[in-house]
Amino acid sequence: MEWSFVAVILAVALVCPRASSIGANWGTQASHPLPPEIVVRMLRENGIQKVKLFDAEYDTLRALGKSRIEVMVGIPNEMLSTLASSHKAAEKWVSKNVSTHINTDNVNIRYVAVGNEPFLSTYNGSYLNTTFPAMRNIQIALLKAGLHNQVKVTCPLNADVYDSSTTLPSGGDFRADIRDLMITIVKFLVEIGGPFTVNIYPFISLYNDANFPVDYAFFDGVSQPVSDGGTFYYNVFDANYDTLVHALEKNGFGNMPIIVGEIGWPTDGDRNANVEYARKFNQGFMAHIAGGRGTPRRPGPIDAYLFSLIDEDAKSVQPGYFERHWGIFTF
Ligand SMILES: *[C@@H]1O[C@H](CO)[C@@H](O)[C@H](O)[C@H]1NC(C)=O
Ligand SMILES: *[C@@H]1O[C@H](CO)[C@@H](O)[C@H](O)[C@H]1NC(C)=O
Ligand SMILES: *[C@@H]1O[C@H](CO)[C@@H](O)[C@H](O)[C@H]1NC(C)=O
């Protein structure tokens, strides 16, 4: 991608007041990954204050040491069953991948993401039984390590855990097949002070539905806003986010903090995936949250991580050819 694009995004990042803070996802499914030290320098030079990882690679974390960048480490779905069934495995994971880095490398680890979108419909329920027990075991391990105040457990979920395509925001509730489980998880997160992490993808709304109004995916306004009982929605991000807010409120968790774990737009691989749209979306989003106004239902700062920092040329294209092109930076 052109440097001008990057420069403009970052200019917005830098004027973004403390109100909302912007992070980036750092994925590593690339055939020629950049050395972690270089990526950390890119993050710092570009004013990115937080980073979300999909694992807890030793070299990555070491490179983040002393940078003061806030870190969310990740546990891949494949590890959930082991961590769900063994306290010892959870303790070992926390010790190796969290405690060591905090204690010896000074890494500012703030969250452990247990699983990555484990309830995605396409996983056919593979992780339904193991996600919550794994979250609980990791929390117990953090407690034992004395890190539970500093490091919070969360679970990045796809917005498909609450059906947003069929309802207005005020109709929001958790997907019927996982509703009880979601309530168990949210209750647990509230108890331990962990946030609800959700990935929101207006691009996918557009990709999946040929009739989706293009302007509604962006932040420049629409001629016909969506009215939800007199509350007007001008972009699908706000509507989607508020669908979650309503789902939480409806189940008694109206004050639950929310993190947008992934948000972004691809630059190639689909008719709507190009540099122009990516620029329009990312800049629009940054400007949208910069004022700290929030959404109609949840005014205030929005905590979000852009997806993604760098293109990943080794990702599966099963979701679509755009999958390798989410980066603000190209390969
Ligand atoms: C984290 O810790 C476990 C030890 O329980 C280890 O198997 C794993 O490879 C470590 N690193 C990552 C990236 O998960
Ligand atoms: C889910 O089920 C479908 C249809 O049975 C199958 O094609 C797909 O491979 C399954 N996916 C997973 C992750 O098990
Ligand atoms: C989850 O547990 C239920 C009930 O015990 C069982 O029927 C189901 O097969 C389990 N699912 C997986 C993916 O292991």
Side-chain angles (χ1 to χ4, degrees):
M1 187 170 313
E2 318 109 289
W3 283 90
S4 59
F5 169 47
V6 173
V8 180
I9 281 230
L10 301 168
V12 179
L14 294 172
V15 299
C16 191
R18 259 162 298 143
S20 297
S21 73
I22 197 74
N25 282 269
W26 174 0
T28 52
Q29 296 184 54
S31 57
H32 298 73
L34 285 170
E37 293 73 23
I38 295 192
V39 178
V40 171
R41 223 175 69 201
M42 283 162 64
L43 290 166
R44 297 181 67 173
E45 285 175 356
N46 291 311
I48 307 265
Q49 304 128 330
K50 306 177 294 182
V51 70
K52 177 168 163 287
L53 308 173
F54 294 91
D55 50 27
E57 283 291 334
Y58 185 82
D59 291 338
T60 302
L61 285 162
R62 258 194 75 97
L64 282 162
K66 302 196 181 72
S67 70
R68 306 191 56 81
I69 293 171
E70 279 188 17
V71 181
M72 184 185 293
V73 291
I75 295 176
N77 292 337
E78 296 69 43
M79 292 186 75
L80 293 176
S81 64
T82 306
L83 296 172
S85 58
S86 160
H87 283 287
K88 242 200 155 95
E91 278 173 32
K92 200 164 157 203
W93 196 92
V94 166
S95 158
K96 276 190 77 122
N97 302 318
V98 180
S99 311
T100 310
H101 293 292
I102 290 178
N103 297 332
T104 64
D105 302 325
N106 227 338
V107 185
N108 188 11
I109 299 177
R110 302 300 286 273
Y111 301 101
V112 177
V114 181
N116 185 40
E117 302 188 337
F119 305 149
L120 211 56
S121 317
T122 50
Y123 292 146
N124 302 339
S126 305
Y127 307 111
L128 285 182
N129 295 348
T130 50
T131 302
F132 177 58
M135 291 170 77
R136 213 173 35 196
N137 284 351
I138 290 293
Q139 170 64 16
I140 292 168
L142 288 169
L143 199 72
K144 268 197 156 167
L147 293 171
H148 58 292
N149 287 325
Q150 177 178 351
V151 183
K152 296 300 181 185
V153 164
T154 189
C155 175
L157 295 161
N158 189 277
D160 81 342
V161 299
Y162 50 91
D163 232 325
S164 61
S165 54
T166 51
T167 60
L168 289 168
S170 60
D173 203 349
F174 296 114
R175 220 167 74 206
D177 63 313
I178 55 168
R179 196 165 166 275
D180 292 346
L181 176 58
M182 284 306 303
I183 288 167
T184 302
I185 287 176
V186 173
K187 207 178 268 172
F188 168 76
L189 289 173
V190 168
E191 273 166 24
I192 66 164
F196 192 107
T197 303
V198 64
N199 299 338
I200 296 179
Y201 279 110
F203 169 80
I204 303 291
S205 304
L206 193 55
Y207 181 75
N208 285 340
D209 179 2
N211 295 318
F212 191 88
V214 177
D215 284 353
Y216 196 54
F218 297 94
F219 298 94
D220 303 324
V222 287
S223 50
Q224 298 215 304
V226 171
S227 170
D228 184 0
T231 300
F232 289 94
Y233 285 91
Y234 296 86
N235 63 77
V236 72
F237 169 80
D238 281 357
N240 193 313
Y241 188 98
D242 278 1
T243 306
L244 171 60
V245 173
H246 276 284
L248 290 168
E249 285 176 3
K250 207 163 286 173
N251 292 291
F253 309 104
N255 294 323
M256 170 122 215
I258 297 171
I259 288 179
V260 179
E262 297 182 10
I263 184 150
W265 199 279
T267 54
D268 204 351
D270 179 63
R271 70 196 166 88
N272 291 311
N274 53 59
V275 172
E276 187 197 332
Y277 275 13
R279 177 193 285 129
K280 191 169 141 94
F281 182 82
N282 286 326
Q283 287 183 355
F285 178 71
M286 302 279 284
H288 186 60
I289 69 166
R293 280 191 318 275
T295 62
R297 193 70 188 178
R298 180 71 77 91
I302 287 179
D303 199 1
Y305 295 77
L306 295 175
F307 191 88
S308 186
L309 189 65
I310 315 168
D311 279 348
E312 295 173 82
D313 66 343
K315 284 190 91 172
S316 161
V317 293
Q318 201 244 326
Y321 289 111
F322 54 82
E323 195 60 23
R324 294 177 176 170
H325 304 280
W326 289 100
I328 292 166
F329 293 92
T330 51
F331 303 114

